[in-house]
Amino acid sequence: MSRRISPVIPGFGLTLGYTLFYLSLLVLIPLAAMFIKTTQLSWDEFIAIISAPRVLAALKLSFVTALIAALINGVIGTLLAWVLVRYKFPGRKIIEAMIDLPFALPTAVAGIALTALYTPTGLIGQFADSLGFKVAYTPLGISLALTFVTLPFVVRTLQPVLADIPREVEEAATCLGAKPLQVIRYVLLPALLPAWLTGFSLAFARGIGEYGSVIFIAGNMPMKTEILPLLIMVKLDQYDYAGATAIGVLMLVVSFILLLFINLLQRRISTTS
Amino acid sequence: MSFRRFALATLTAALTSASIIGSAAAATELLNVSYDPTRELYVEYNAAFNRYWQAQGHESVTVKQSHGGSGKQARSVIDGLRADVVTLALAGDIDELYRVGKLIPEDWQKRLPDASTPYTSTIVFLVRKGNPKGIKDWDDLVKPGVEVITPNPKTSGGARWNFLAAWAYAQQKYGSEEQAKEFVGKLYKQVPVLDTGARGSTITFVNNKIGDVLLAWENEAFLALKEEGGDNLQIIAPSLSILAEPPVAVVDKNVERKGTREVAEAYLKYLYSEEGQRIAAKNFYRPRNQTVAAEFAKQFPALKLTTIDGDFGGWKTAQPKFFSDGGIFDQIYQAH
Amino acid sequence: MTSTTLANPSAARVAQRGNVWGRRFLIAAAWLIFTLFLLLPLYVVVNEALKQGLGTFFTSILEPDALSALKLTLIAVGISVPLNVVFGVAAAWCVSKYDFKGKSLLVTLIDLPFSVSPVIAGLIYVLMFGAQGWFGPWLQDHDIQIVFAVPGIVLATIFVTVPFVARELIPLMQEQGTQEEEAARLLGANGWQMFWHVTLPNIKWGLIYGVVLCTARAMGEFGAVSVVSGHIRGMTNTLPLHVEILYNEYNHVAAFSVASLLLALAIFILLLKQWSESRINRLKASAAEE
């Protein structure tokens, strides 16, 4: 960490100024517009809007489905990262290159593809249907769509950290008599946890806000399968600008807190490494 | 260094693309902002109108279309989507153009014949071929095990007609408003997917094969038969339905800015001509013109219809009562 | 550490043998997950697109509305990506070369668009520039249209892609430190010469990587663009919105055809990314050898 105030390097004023200008113009002022719009509401009205049963149900749904998706990714993402970093096997390069596909693929395309896959007439949907449960138009379908969209986060944050742990450390531990579970508990877990949490929270934050891939598969039933971003759209389409922005502010605060949390984690990673 | 060339190329690309925006077409152009199921109707009508307009000695006119849930489309126009004309699912949505946006005068509906509604439709049931669940009337929809597909009344105009048709039936059959509410509540319990627009619901029912019955615009149901072939679906007419009146209006503020009033007004007026009416009927909308209606009489079953103005006191009363925040629709959902 | 391994080679071998099966199991699981979660959706897209043969596929993607959607998508990418590159370099520069108060807040703010729901990204521009918004009346008086027109689509695209380049460059530039630039300055280079000849070559692969990610997102954004688009066929439809429209018009095959065009673009972008990444790794490896 060799950062210091370097009088020799020019451009501090210019770059910081430009950064602030650009951010303010495109991100901060528009976001402020949303906050100001909600000030048209009194505090009580604001609370009444965000604690309406339908909003709470959507909030719960968005949180729970995003959490489930992030947890699924926490498991399969760790597995994928481990396999990609530690093993050489046929097709490794293909998987490595394609992991980022959910980032590169437009979410609407993901949405119609997953819907086609999971409806009772689709490839997987048929199978699930014969087992007697439904995927599309249920919270399960939403979770699966979110799992797809946020798949790369955990993999990509774990990979560099895993690559940095020398394999010899585990081997050494094993030779010294540690059981595999102990190796995981005392060697791998402490090293991986901050990165894992970062990937997990990124996936979670993205999942709460995701729209394009979810609306096709969600079912959009008030109180049941209506996600929070859709509720904003619904409020907006009823000319309820204040209501839409109130929910928007709620979501924004949540994502800001999550981001702060992530940045704190990352600082911990960089100080421990 | 090759990287610098790369940077230069990106910059050039950006500048060229910026210049493309500047070079938009200049010929007469109208924007028709419409609701979901009218896509096919206006594709055909736009071509016919252009022929007519040129025959009148004007230069050719391109009509651009935008479709979506009726409420959402009205909101976009209020927020600045520069529609020359709106052709929406119900008068309530066009009223908002006056109420919120002051884009049109309050008495807009008086400017064209038949309360500015050149064609009408109604709500029918679309079921799977052979009608496996034996659905004949509204009562059959609330039987256990029947899945009903309808869009969200909050965002879709068609869904509001669906809701009111069911309400009218229940009120007539059971008498009180309380019982109507209970009936409609039961009905919406049978709905597994609530899409945002009428077309979304049709796709859910027809392509994704969810549900046993689709509550649909009559025109949308006919179109689904036509697109999918009559092998898989059939239409059932209930004992009572509602006269769905999708009105049209010129958006005064926008046509004045763009100088398109003359062509915009002609565009809507021509909907009432025989050719316009025939195109509407061919696309399964019920025509207003008696001659054309007689020609297509076989296509449309005779139905007992209630009306929004006769039985619900018009959209100005029905919209807040049923569909605004805290209205009957919300109460039904929150009771679950 | 090496000595410990050597001290007990047989234990290591036993551990290795036990690992073979675990390893095979894990690799198989990775392949299964990969197939189920990533390959299957792709297969569905391509399969649906080719249902009626290649002819229909090509007519769907060459039809005028599809081409104009492609053009609009390219415009949005062509404007948002260069702007975000300039921003990303400037932001990474001041964050990585200097220490100042409020730096972590600034980094959080740069990241913010990343976790803001796309719907909100669209909504805020409607609140600002819509006819009922802050600048609405003024814009109307001057006959300037932002939302429901190309500028709104470009703005929404910029918003959702703001963090990408900066996010790639910040860690890279922090790692590289400031010595090389200082040396260049001492040798008499001015600021721009230093940037052009020292910094840029050092960060170019990271920059390309950021550009690639930024392009992918700009090309595929749906939610934010959907709010500000107005959905006018042939005018304000980007490719992802065009997919939605076709999907809603009983035009399944065309929808999936355009979707597979986007899919092909996405895969092309991934290949570019892979290539720039391998260059970064090679650079790192050679740096480590020195």
Side-chain angles (χ1 to χ4, degrees), chain A residues 9-65:
Chain A
I9 297 198
F12 177 65
L14 179 73
T15 53
L16 183 67
Y18 182 70
T19 304
L20 288 176
F21 168 74
Y22 189 89
L23 266 186
S24 310
L25 200 68
L26 284 159
V27 179
L28 301 181
I29 295 177
L31 284 176
M34 190 168 75
F35 273 91
I36 290 170
K37 191 88 190 172
T38 45
T39 57
Q40 288 176 353
L41 300 164
S42 72
W43 180 248
D44 291 339
E45 284 171 320
F46 179 75
I47 295 295
I49 289 173
I50 62 169
S51 61
R54 193 164 160 208
V55 177
L56 288 181
L59 186 71
K60 195 177 128 203
L61 178 74
S62 282
F63 262 83
V64 170
T65 50

Side-chain angles (χ1 to χ4, degrees), chain C residues 48-91:
Chain C
E48 295 276 331
L50 297 178
K51 243 180 191 168
Q52 290 168 13
L54 274 174
T56 336
F57 172 78
F58 282 112
T59 30
S60 317
I61 60 173
L62 293 176
E63 164 237 7
D65 283 342
L67 289 179
S68 93
L70 176 66
K71 193 173 106 184
L72 183 57
T73 298
L74 292 180
I75 288 172
V77 170
I79 296 176
S80 60
V81 172
L83 282 176
N84 281 332
V85 165
V86 175
F87 165 76
V89 171

Side-chain angles (χ1 to χ4, degrees), chain A residues 3 6 8-10 12 15 19 22 26 87 89-90 100-101 105 117 148 209 212 245 248 252 255 259 263 267, chain C residues 31 37 42 44 84 87 90-91 93-94 98 103-104 108 115-118 125 127 155 158-159 182 185 222 263 273:
Chain A
R3 270 177 294 149
S6 168
V8 194
I9 297 198
F12 177 65
T15 53
T19 304
Y22 189 89
L26 284 159
Y87 306 138
F89 58 95
D100 282 323
L101 186 83
L105 193 70
L117 202 55
F148 175 82
T245 49
L252 195 63
S255 34
L259 265 186
N263 278 351
R267 210 180 303 166
Chain C
W31 263 106
F37 276 91
L42 300 195
V44 168
N84 281 332
F87 165 76
W93 185 268
C94 70
Y98 309 96
K103 190 153 117 177
S104 52
T108 306
S115 67
V116 166
S117 174
Y125 289 112
L127 292 178
L155 275 175
I158 294 176
F159 182 96
E182 279 165 13
R185 287 290 281 171
F222 176 79
L263 174 67
K273 201 212 79 186

Side-chain angles (χ1 to χ4, degrees), chain B residues 4 66 79-80 199 202 257, chain C residues 131 143 145 196 230 233 248 250:
Chain B
R4 224 170 300 164
S66 167
D79 269 334
R199 187 51 63 84
T202 316
R257 185 183 298 117
Chain C
D143 206 30
Q145 211 182 359
W196 208 241
R233 269 194 98 128
N248 277 340
Y250 296 106

